[in-house]
Amino acid sequence: SQTIHQWPATLVQPVGSPLSLECTVEGTSNPNLYWYRQAAGRGLQLLFYSVGIGQISSEVPQNLSASRPQDRQFILSSKKLLLSDSGFYLCAWGRPLHFGNGTRLTVT
Amino acid sequence: AQSVSQHNHHVILSEAASLELGCNYSYGGTVNLFWYVQYPGQHLQLLLKYFSGDPLVKGIKGFEAEFIKSKFSFNLRKPSVQWSDTAEYFCAVNAGNMLTFGGGTRLMVKP
């Protein structure tokens, strides 16, 4: 069966520090992968999606970036976090979407 | 670009009341439609989906949704809500590789 792993579950980082969130999928090959953010009081916002290794589409301009170094690995990064980057980040794959458990990021 | 609107941001109901959450989208082509639910402290789960066929789809936990193409709507319904239905509900529309979510509706069911 397919599973999706996302870590860490919670993260507290100071402003200006780097970020790396990792997501891996098991039990499937060449999945469509997505990063979503749910900011407080707002709905889900698509940040990035990838249809294959090295293929990244960005939906919202921001100081975040994504990479897909392997078929089932999707990484969300930032070189310098902003306060406004705080939120709940969800990795997802497939259609319909299957979500990871999410990472709650607090930038202080 | 496609967009999804959920007009009710907060809904408060008593147990046994009927529920209808609105969802409207803007996209002229073929779409797949979804409702996701996020219970307090849990991750998002798929509630139901529409790809084709009967526009009235049944989901888990007694939920159903009706796709009305002429109205670009996919409203979620439940005849009798329970306290355990307290959650946030998201409508989503998929066209091509894009999945666009509505802003969510926070439902609180009072016991």
Side-chain angles (χ1 to χ4, degrees):
Chain A
S1 63
Q2 302 93 347
T3 55
I4 179 168
H5 302 280
Q6 184 182 341
W7 67 93
T10 59
L11 191 60
V12 180
Q13 293 280 99
V15 167
S17 64
L19 172 74
S20 181
L21 302 181
E22 190 162 343
C23 172
T24 59
V25 180
E26 296 177 358
T28 185
S29 59
N30 197 31
N32 285 358
L33 295 172
Y34 306 83
W35 278 109
Y36 283 88
R37 175 171 61 195
Q38 185 176 358
R42 299 176 62 182
L44 280 169
Q45 180 185 40
L46 177 63
L47 300 176
F48 302 95
Y49 72 91
S50 170
V51 298
I53 296 174
Q55 300 179 61
I56 308 294
S57 295
S58 174
E59 292 304 308
V60 182
Q62 60 223 325
N63 70 320
L64 300 172
S65 62
S67 61
R68 187 168 177 176
Q70 300 180 45
D71 181 44
R72 288 169 284 178
Q73 184 184 30
F74 204 25
I75 298 172
L76 182 69
S77 305
S78 174
K79 292 181 179 178
K80 288 185 179 181
L81 284 169
L82 306 173
L83 285 174
S84 57
D85 291 325
S86 293
F88 190 61
Y89 290 81
L90 286 161
C91 179
W93 74 275
R95 185 186 308 177
L97 288 179
H98 301 272
F99 290 92
N101 285 342
T103 297
R104 187 163 299 280
L105 171 66
T106 303
V107 182
T108 60
Chain B
Q2 61 202 47
S3 65
V4 182
S5 298
Q6 291 180 244
H7 305 294
N8 311 105
H9 300 293
H10 296 276
V11 174
I12 301 174
L13 295 172
S14 298
E15 275 195 315
S18 63
L19 170 72
E20 181 159 2
L21 301 182
C23 173
N24 288 90
Y25 66 93
S26 64
Y27 184 75
T30 302
V31 295
N32 302 142
L33 301 158
F34 309 85
W35 276 96
Y36 287 88
V37 60
Q38 187 171 18
Y39 297 102
Q42 298 186 31
H43 58 275
L44 277 167
Q45 305 173 40
L46 179 67
L47 202 53
L48 49 79
K49 62 183 184 291
Y50 171 80
F51 281 1
S52 63
D54 189 345
L56 183 63
V57 288
K58 307 282 188 184
I60 60 172
K61 304 186 181 184
F63 286 92
E64 65 178 30
E66 185 174 12
F67 171 48
I68 303 180
K69 190 174 181 179
S70 60
K71 294 185 178 180
F72 297 90
S73 69
F74 191 54
N75 291 356
L76 181 71
R77 299 195 293 250
K78 186 170 183 177
S80 176
V81 295
Q82 301 172 309
W83 175 78
S84 58
D85 293 324
T86 294
E88 189 155 14
Y89 293 80
F90 293 92
C91 179
V93 174
N94 175 227
N97 275 321
M98 294 297 302
L99 184 70
T100 305
F101 283 84
T105 297
R106 193 168 295 244
L107 171 66
M108 179 182 293
V109 180
K110 297 185 293 184

